[in-house]
Amino acid sequence: MGKVLEVKDLVTTFRIGKKEYEVLRGISFDINENETLCMVGESGCGKSVTTLSIMDLLPNNGRVVSGSIKLNGQELTTMTAKERNGLRGKQMGMIFQEPMTALNPLLTIGRQLTEGLRLHLGMSKEEAHKTAVAYLEKVGIANAEERMKQYPFQLSGGLRQRIMIAMVMAVQPSLLIADEPTTALDVTIQKQVLVLLNKLKKDVSTGVLFITHDLGVVAEIADRVIILYSGCKVEEGDINTIFSKPLHPYTIGLMNAVPNVDKDDFEIQPIPGTFPNITEEIGGCRFHPRCPYATDRCRAEVPAGMEVEPGHFVACHKVEEEMRK
């Protein structure tokens, strides 16, 4: 399998007032064809900023300072805005959390679906219409011809999200970024959307970067998982490893905070402390103020990522010291 996306040492900053603050602190990862990489962490950890950095959609006060982003071997950070705009929608597509804000309320579903097909694939009006209808049917939307004539406000949240998926996948991008696309949906529709994404991924051999804070969704869709904390990658591994052998104290804390419905007397164990603001200056490991195992070394020295076993990476002094014993 070829690599669709390669991100290396990515640093992104936001300017607040006269000062720039790091939001992403040198994160690295890659995604292969027909693979789903889930990025997990609390709100504010840098998940959405990662997607916006890749898509070149950062707000005016944000910028990629250093690092590399390669899509199918092409370096994105050195491209002009026009060149990257040509890739957006064609080679990489994005599904947002709230489809009502992503869809244009003034245009019909048909107009919005066919626009990308005509622009990126050079289809005629008739070809684009036929393909759009086929993809609406593929994502399980009945009466597709009638839906093409409707406006976003006439559809439910679940239908709008399916339309967004159809719109992105019809162009058959190499990379699909899904930023918490099931958060606003009820559990039944959420399950259907996850099954649909898995099927379309295999049909098109697309690499998927799936952003979520829901470990139940991760278990359902992920091949590999990255745990982010305050802009730093603290752990990475395949889905089985992360769930069965989590090593970083933060990853373990996330797992312990999930209710265990198999036990009658389960007790949620929240992670102590509060998530840091990006303006907070924290020396050493960013997690140390909340970590029960923090030492003086943790407060002074940023942990380097280490591979504890093939494909399983952790950035933690405690884990490193235990591996040396």
Side-chain angles (χ1 to χ4, degrees):
M1 289 191 297
K3 290 188 188 301
V4 172
L5 181 70
E6 298 169 84
V7 176
K8 187 172 177 60
D9 299 328
L10 181 63
V11 176
T12 298
T13 64
F14 275 15
R15 178 174 288 278
I16 301 175
K18 295 183 178 180
K19 192 171 180 180
E20 280 191 314
Y21 298 92
E22 287 189 353
V23 183
L24 299 180
R25 297 174 168 83
I27 67 169
S28 301
F29 62 91
D30 52 54
I31 302 174
N32 298 315
E33 293 177 0
N34 194 24
E35 178 183 52
T36 299
L37 176 70
C38 275
M39 190 169 280
V40 183
E42 294 169 275
S43 296
C45 72
K47 303 186 301 292
S48 292
V49 174
T50 301
T51 68
L52 296 176
S53 298
I54 295 167
M55 294 291 290
D56 193 27
L57 293 175
L58 288 166
N60 292 333
N61 66 329
R63 69 186 182 103
V64 173
V65 175
S66 62
S68 170
I69 305 171
K70 289 183 179 179
L71 179 69
N72 295 322
Q74 303 175 84
E75 179 59 60
L76 302 186
T77 59
T78 56
M79 286 185 177
T80 64
K82 185 178 180 180
E83 289 171 332
R84 290 185 74 165
N85 192 44
L87 295 178
R88 226 177 6 245
K90 184 176 183 181
Q91 290 192 38
M92 54 182 178
M94 188 164 178
I95 301 169
F96 295 91
Q97 180 175 337
E98 179 41 68
M100 194 60 191
T101 58
L103 292 168
N104 191 324
L106 302 178
L107 301 179
T108 63
I109 298 303
R111 170 76 182 275
Q112 295 182 68
L113 274 167
T114 56
E115 187 176 40
L117 294 169
R118 298 184 68 185
L119 177 65
H120 296 301
L121 301 184
M123 290 185 179
S124 66
K125 188 175 180 180
E126 294 74 19
E127 285 177 312
H129 182 90
K130 186 177 179 181
T131 302
V133 169
Y135 264 87
L136 287 182
E137 292 171 347
K138 213 175 231 188
V139 299
I141 294 179
N143 303 317
E145 283 284 1
E146 287 303 309
R147 299 298 186 191
M148 293 280 283
K149 302 171 188 174
Q150 293 182 314
Y151 291 85
F153 71 87
Q154 295 176 285
L155 306 173
S156 67
L159 277 176
R160 289 196 294 264
Q161 197 59 286
R162 285 170 181 264
I163 286 164
M164 280 298 303
I165 293 170
M167 187 182 301
V168 172
M169 296 304 289
V171 185
Q172 301 190 356
S174 301
L175 174 68
L176 169 65
I177 297 175
D179 190 356
E180 305 206 41
T182 60
T183 299
L185 307 179
D186 65 54
V187 177
T188 306
I189 301 299
Q190 183 180 96
K191 172 74 173 179
Q192 293 171 356
V193 168
L194 294 177
V195 170
L196 175 62
L197 281 173
N198 262 333
K199 182 180 182 302
L200 292 176
K201 173 190 73 174
K202 293 172 183 174
D203 289 347
V204 185
S205 294
T206 296
V208 179
L209 175 58
F210 197 101
I211 305 301
T212 185
H213 61 268
D214 188 332
L215 291 175
V217 170
V218 173
E220 187 78 32
I221 200 169
D223 296 305
R224 286 189 298 120
V225 183
I226 282 181
I227 309 295
L228 279 192
Y229 185 81
S230 191
C232 304
K233 183 177 79 171
V234 297
E235 189 160 2
E236 177 183 358
D238 64 64
I239 182 66
N240 293 327
T241 299
I242 293 297
F243 273 82
S244 63
K245 294 189 295 183
L247 293 177
H248 195 282
Y250 180 59
T251 310
I252 295 169
L254 289 178
M255 299 296 177
N256 290 337
V258 177
N260 186 346
V261 295
D262 294 326
K263 295 182 179 179
D264 294 332
D265 58 344
F266 72 82
E267 183 179 345
I268 297 176
Q269 302 175 40
I271 300 172
T274 57
F275 192 84
N277 190 287
I278 65 168
T279 60
E280 287 185 50
E281 295 184 7
I282 300 175
C285 173
R286 297 280 295 177
F287 185 61
H288 86 252
R290 304 174 71 186
C291 181
Y293 311 105
T295 64
D296 288 341
R297 184 187 179 197
C298 300
R299 298 179 187 95
E301 184 182 332
V302 177
M306 60 179 295
E307 190 173 22
V308 295
E309 59 182 319
H312 189 187
F313 298 86
V314 183
C316 176
H317 295 311
K318 174 180 177 289
V319 174
E320 178 193 338
E321 289 163 5
E322 288 179 350
M323 292 293 293
R324 288 177 177 174
K325 292 178 182 178

